[in-house]
Amino acid sequence: AAAAAGADGEDVVKELFRAVMRDDVTAVEQLSASSNIDLLTVRNSAQQTPLQLASERGRKAVKAYLEQRKKGGGASAASPTPKAAVKAAGSAEKPGAGRAAESPADDQQVQQLFKAVMKDDAAEVRNLVVSAKLDIA
């Protein structure tokens, strides 16, 4: 355990790992933005990184977010995770499928899509995207 970090730094690290355990991407993003913590290298008392903990505990949303950051999306905190998840889930579809007759999505469709993304239900996301002809690009 590195005692070099001050009490405030330790509290932020603890809160970060609590957010990982809750699978709370928003909190992880906020803690990352409001501190100088490196999400990819910081370690808890068990010497795990947030990504290792999220993987071990099955925290899918945070794991996907951290993997995206690891791939070089570190500066892309402006692109929200749900949209990235929808885009990733939709990429398994045939390219351009259902996009010929694009129509604006209504609020109910958007809410259903958001709920499916938050449940990490890729099949439901694909069904909603195809059935509603949503443009997720």
Side-chain angles (χ1 to χ4, degrees), residues 31-105:
L31 287 164
S32 173
S34 66
S35 67
N36 60 355
I37 293 176
D38 182 348
L39 291 178
L40 303 177
T41 60
V42 67
R43 294 184 181 270
N44 63 9
S45 59
Q47 296 302 308
Q48 293 175 302
T49 65
L51 179 56
Q52 289 169 330
L53 182 63
S55 296
E56 177 185 291
R57 300 294 177 92
R59 303 308 191 249
K60 295 177 183 178
V62 169
K63 181 181 175 199
Y65 171 74
L66 293 170
E67 285 174 340
Q68 186 66 29
R69 295 277 303 242
K70 190 173 183 178
K71 288 179 186 174
S76 69
S79 70
T81 302
K83 184 174 180 180
V86 170
K87 190 170 184 178
S91 67
E93 286 295 319
K94 297 172 195 138
R99 294 193 185 183
E102 290 183 25
S103 63

Side-chain angles (χ1 to χ4, degrees), residues 20-40:
V20 171
M21 290 301 298
R22 290 189 313 266
D23 206 19
D24 186 347
V25 174
T26 303
V28 171
E29 286 178 319
Q30 289 172 347
L31 287 164
S32 173
S34 66
S35 67
N36 60 355
I37 293 176
D38 182 348
L39 291 178
L40 303 177

Side-chain angles (χ1 to χ4, degrees), residues 98-106 109-110 129-136:
R99 294 193 185 183
E102 290 183 25
S103 63
D106 65 21
Q109 290 171 323
V110 172
V129 168
V130 171
S131 69
K133 296 181 177 76
L134 298 175
D135 180 13
I136 57 169

